[in-house]
């Protein structure tokens, strides 16, 4: 373990004594892994002196660690003698992802001298949609979202362990923010965003509403982030790559006055008269943090798929170092179903094909939203299952994908390396190691439901009842895939970071996956694109707040 990683673990545990921290880890079933691929042994909560890593009440879960990102946070005070440059400005934004880029554009548009710092060599972006309510793209598509029902669902999805006022701010202002983003795109020379559209409608399955809150960006969200940064530059923003923020500065009263960052030649002091915005992303590439704050089952994934290779939790650590509170444990991972190739997600796994567990039995309504489907998979023995398909796979994918803009042929190509193929159900059962009679009975019953058009066991969407009645037969070993973590520093509706007494830390703000207060238990995929939506909404609003606007 490197010194920086050791610092990161102490930062997230807090100031508790070693014995107390160890007791807390045992009680929650969280402990750091010892190797790149590790199996948790059954153990009682009393622990063991054998030297093994023990995760209580777990049965042989395998953990494939993410590739570690370097930790930029520096715990020890950085002296003035180490400073090679000093920069004065109104606002420092730490992190050039969707949240940070949006905040930089909003701040600079509103007349604030702005510095945007990024740990990596370029900006960070992924995906295609941004969540919003009441914007003109939704209006053009004729899609209306009932704000009260949406709020009730958001709070219920977090077991009411979320800040209602933060959600209300998103609900009431995200449409305004989305319209601003579209206007900014149109006004920015060379913008590659293209059209902003809403695809699909609000749907309900098994009592869960999937909200059509996502606004699709034709050029992808990477185009939007690039455009925001170019717009910020056009309004005078100073954008610095390969310059990670390392430490927050405060005055004698505890107010945040700026940050110290690491440049090519040494440490740079950025004095910020209006505030510091933490938007450094998640900590999905810091196993020392993950293994202490997340459910072990949530960590037993096949793939860590975040393409941004810098997310070590620097903003979380910097915030906690100045007294910030964090979301209650366990923290939330954005998990989707994933094929069995470690480190790579087979996107075909997100469709509603039948699933069986190690006993060869179905266990879930496969047309559930991603988060619920993944949770059900991770609850099975070994946090694994098998997705089943048969016959013409290209046709099957095309029948399953609905409005998703992917070709069946592309999905087949993506999954081919992880598919297990057989000429009969009996042969398939042997290859995946389940009881052949149990698997045959499961497939026979499933085919009966397909013929009836009704899933009498789980209530699956009838449009996804495709029979498994033609060879060859296929199985895909499946678990979860983690994109990012979505828990973070507690904030209020103005994105101000809160201390452990619930008071705002003067001059400190957090956005995106560095911020918290919205999710608990599971990430609500059925609230489409909410992760990106909160980045744009609160990034837009923080610029207005720091400029003294409403």
């Amino acid at each position: 373990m490197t010194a920086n990683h050791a610092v990161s673990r102490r930062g997230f545990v807090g100031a508790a004594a070693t014995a107390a921290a160890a007791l807390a880890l045992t009680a929650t079933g969280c402990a750091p892994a010892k190797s790149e691929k590790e199996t948790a042994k059954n153990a009682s909560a009393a622990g063991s002196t054998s030297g093994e890593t023990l995760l209580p009440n777990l049965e042989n879960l395998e953990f494939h660690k993410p590739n570690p990102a370097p930790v930029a946070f520096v715990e020890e005070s950085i002296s003035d003698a180490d400073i090679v440059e000093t920069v004065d400005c109104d606002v420092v934004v730490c992190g050039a992802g969707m949240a940070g880029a949006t905040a930089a554009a909003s701040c600079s548009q509103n007349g604030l001298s702005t510095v945007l710092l990024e740990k990596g060599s370029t900006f960070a972006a992924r995906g295609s949609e941004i969540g919003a309510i009441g914007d003109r793209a939704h209006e053009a598509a004729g899609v209306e979202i009932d704000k009260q029902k949406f709020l009730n669902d958001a709070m219920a999805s977090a077991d009411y362990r979320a800040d209602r006022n933060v959600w209300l701010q998103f609900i009431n202002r995200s449409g305004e923010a989305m319209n601003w983003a579209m206007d900014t795109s149109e006004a920015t020379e060379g913008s590659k965003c293209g059209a902003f559209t809403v695809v699909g409608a609000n749907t309900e399955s098994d009592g869960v509403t999937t909200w059509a809150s996502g606004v699709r960006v034709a050029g992808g969200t990477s185009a939007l982030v690039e455009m925001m940064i170019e717009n910020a530059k056009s309004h005078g923003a100073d954008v610095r790559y390969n310059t990670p923020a390392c430490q927050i500065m405060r005055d004698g009263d505890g107010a945040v006055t700026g940050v110290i960052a690491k440049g090519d030649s040494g440490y740079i002091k950025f004095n910020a008269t209006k505030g510091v915005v933490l938007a450094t992303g998640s900590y999905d590439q810091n196993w020392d943090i993950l293994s202490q704050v997340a459910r072990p089952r949530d960590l037993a994934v096949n793939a860590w798929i975040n393409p941004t290779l810098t997310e070590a939790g620097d903003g979380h650590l910097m915030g906690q170092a100045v007294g910030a509170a964090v979301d209650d444990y366990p923290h939330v991972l954005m998990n989707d179903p994933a094929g069995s190739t470690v480190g790579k997600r087979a996107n075909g796994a997100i469709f509603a094909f039948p699933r069986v567990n190690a006993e060869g039995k179905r266990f879930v309504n496969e047309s559930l939203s991603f988060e619920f489907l993944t949770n059900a998979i991770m609850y099975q023995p070994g946090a694994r299952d098998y997705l089943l398909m048969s016959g013409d796979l290209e046709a099957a994918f095309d029948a399953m994908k609905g409005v998703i803009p992917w070709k069946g042929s592309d999905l087949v190509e993506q999954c081919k390396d992880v598919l297990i193929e057989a000429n009969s159900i009996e042969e398939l059962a042997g290859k995946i190691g389940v009881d052949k009679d149990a698997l045959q009975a499961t497939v026979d019953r499933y085919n009966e439901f397909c013929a009836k058009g009704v899933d009498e066991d789980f209530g699956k969407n009838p449009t996804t009842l495709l029979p498994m009645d033609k060879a060859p037969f296929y199985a895909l070993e499946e678990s979860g895939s983690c994109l990012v973590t979505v828990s973070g520093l507690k904030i209020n509706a103005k994105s101000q970071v809160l201390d452990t007494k619930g008071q705002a830390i003067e001059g400190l703000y957090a956005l995106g996956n560095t911020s918290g207060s919205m999710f608990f238990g599971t990430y609500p995929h059925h609230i489409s694109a909410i992760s990106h939506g909160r980045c744009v909404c609160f990034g837009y609003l923080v610029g207005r707040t720091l400029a003294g606007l409403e």
Side-chain angles (χ1 to χ4, degrees):
M1 181 182 297
T2 66
N4 274 341
H5 282 169
V7 165
S8 70
R9 291 185 61 194
R10 288 199 300 274
F12 239 85
V13 171
T18 301
L23 178 61
L25 294 180
T26 300
T28 57
C30 296
K34 297 191 300 180
S35 61
E36 293 307 307
K37 179 177 178 181
E38 178 179 346
T39 300
K41 307 296 184 183
N42 275 324
S44 69
S48 168
T49 59
S50 67
E52 292 179 305
T53 296
L54 299 179
L55 301 179
N57 304 316
L58 302 180
E59 79 296 342
N60 298 323
L61 293 182
E62 291 186 351
F63 297 93
H64 307 281
K65 294 184 188 179
N67 291 324
V71 177
F73 166 65
V74 176
E75 184 178 30
E76 296 78 12
S77 179
I78 299 171
S79 73
D80 287 342
D82 294 325
I83 302 299
V84 299
E85 181 184 0
T86 299
V87 177
D88 295 326
C89 60
D90 291 326
V91 181
V92 176
V93 180
C94 306
M98 185 174 295
T102 301
S106 181
C107 287
S108 58
Q109 281 185 25
N110 286 308
L112 301 173
S113 60
T114 304
V115 173
L116 177 61
L117 304 177
E118 169 54 38
K119 184 178 186 178
S121 59
T122 187
F123 59 84
R126 54 190 170 264
S128 61
E129 293 190 349
I130 301 161
I133 298 175
D135 55 277
R136 60 177 182 260
H138 277 88
E139 182 179 354
V143 176
E144 295 185 9
I145 293 176
D146 186 304
K147 291 185 176 181
Q148 187 60 54
K149 289 182 179 179
F150 186 96
L151 175 62
N152 292 344
D153 189 1
M155 293 301 295
S157 296
D159 294 338
Y160 282 81
R161 297 176 187 268
D163 191 318
R164 186 175 186 271
N165 291 324
V166 174
W167 273 104
L168 272 174
Q169 185 82 311
F170 173 82
I171 289 167
N172 292 328
R173 303 292 297 273
S174 60
E176 172 191 341
M178 192 71 246
N179 287 340
W180 166 82
M182 290 187 276
D183 291 341
T184 298
S185 175
E186 293 175 1
T188 303
E189 185 177 353
S191 173
K192 305 170 187 174
C193 290
F196 293 77
T197 59
V198 174
V199 178
N202 303 322
T203 59
E204 186 167 331
S205 176
D206 206 36
V208 176
T209 299
T210 296
W211 299 96
S213 44
V215 177
R216 184 168 295 168
V217 185
T221 55
S222 60
L224 182 133
V225 173
E226 182 179 7
M227 174 273 300
M228 288 288 183
I229 292 173
E230 290 305 312
N231 188 272
K233 287 180 179 179
S234 73
H235 287 87
D238 178 2
V239 179
R240 302 194 182 198
Y241 294 108
N242 298 307
T243 312
C246 303
Q247 193 171 98
I248 293 171
M249 300 186 299
R250 292 180 291 174
D251 63 19
D253 296 323
V256 170
T257 60
V259 298
I260 298 175
K262 184 69 178 294
D264 291 338
S265 302
Y267 289 116
I268 307 169
K269 180 184 289 188
F270 293 91
N271 297 313
T273 58
K274 297 290 186 179
V276 169
V277 180
L278 299 175
T280 57
S282 69
Y283 52 84
D284 59 279
Q285 289 149 15
N286 189 327
W287 183 258
D288 294 326
I289 295 176
L290 286 166
S291 59
Q292 293 187 64
V293 304
R295 291 184 186 90
R297 276 193 182 276
D298 287 352
L299 299 177
V301 297
N302 276 334
W304 301 87
I305 59 174
N306 187 351
T308 304
L309 303 178
T310 56
E311 300 200 355
D314 295 313
H316 299 75
L317 296 168
M318 287 190 291
Q320 283 195 286
V322 296
V326 296
D327 283 334
D328 292 344
Y329 302 161
H331 279 188
V332 181
L333 278 63
M334 189 186 295
N335 268 352
D336 292 343
S340 61
T341 299
V342 175
K344 175 183 177 182
R345 182 175 76 176
N347 278 324
I350 69 175
F351 297 110
F353 293 102
R355 266 87 170 174
V356 296
N357 58 22
E359 297 177 345
K361 298 177 181 180
R362 285 181 73 204
F363 57 89
V364 69
N365 174 349
E366 296 93 352
S367 57
L368 289 176
S369 184
F370 296 163
E371 73 270 28
F372 300 122
L373 178 58
T374 308
N375 289 347
I377 292 168
M378 302 301 283
Y379 187 72
Q380 300 311 300
R384 296 289 188 274
D385 74 327
Y386 289 95
L387 176 149
L388 305 179
M389 297 180 284
S390 72
D392 185 342
L393 293 186
E394 184 175 333
F397 276 127
D398 283 332
M400 282 283 192
K401 68 185 180 65
V403 299
I404 295 175
W406 298 333
K407 295 180 180 179
S409 56
D410 292 338
L411 292 166
V412 172
E413 179 67 22
Q414 186 186 83
C415 293
K416 68 178 184 179
D417 292 338
V418 293
L419 287 176
I420 301 166
E421 182 177 347
N423 292 318
S424 68
I425 296 298
E426 180 177 355
E427 182 186 357
L428 189 65
K431 287 187 173 184
I432 64 177
V434 304
D435 183 82
K436 62 182 177 60
D437 293 332
L439 185 62
Q440 187 66 63
T442 295
V443 171
D444 290 344
R445 185 166 177 79
Y446 181 78
N447 286 338
E448 290 175 8
F449 297 154
C450 292
K452 293 178 180 178
V454 178
D455 180 359
E456 296 176 356
D457 285 344
F458 294 96
K460 180 180 173 180
N461 185 333
T463 64
T464 63
L465 285 169
L466 301 182
M468 286 194 60
D469 56 359
K470 294 180 180 179
F473 298 95
Y474 301 94
L476 177 69
E477 186 183 0
E478 188 179 43
S479 183
S481 65
C482 178
L483 178 58
V484 289
T485 59
V486 295
S487 299
L489 306 178
K490 287 189 176 181
I491 60 168
N492 61 20
K494 293 183 178 180
S495 297
Q496 292 174 294
V497 175
L498 305 180
D499 65 19
T500 54
K501 295 181 180 180
Q503 301 301 308
I505 298 174
E506 185 178 346
L508 187 61
Y509 300 79
L511 301 173
N513 292 333
T514 310
S515 67
S517 302
M518 293 185 73
F519 309 121
F520 185 80
T522 193
Y523 174 76
H525 272 297
H526 67 284
I527 304 178
S528 300
I530 181 61
S531 179
H532 287 164
R534 69 170 175 167
C535 291
V536 171
C537 177
F538 292 104
Y540 161 76
L541 291 175
V542 82
R544 296 181 62 80
T545 296
L546 290 168
L549 304 172
E550 289 296 323

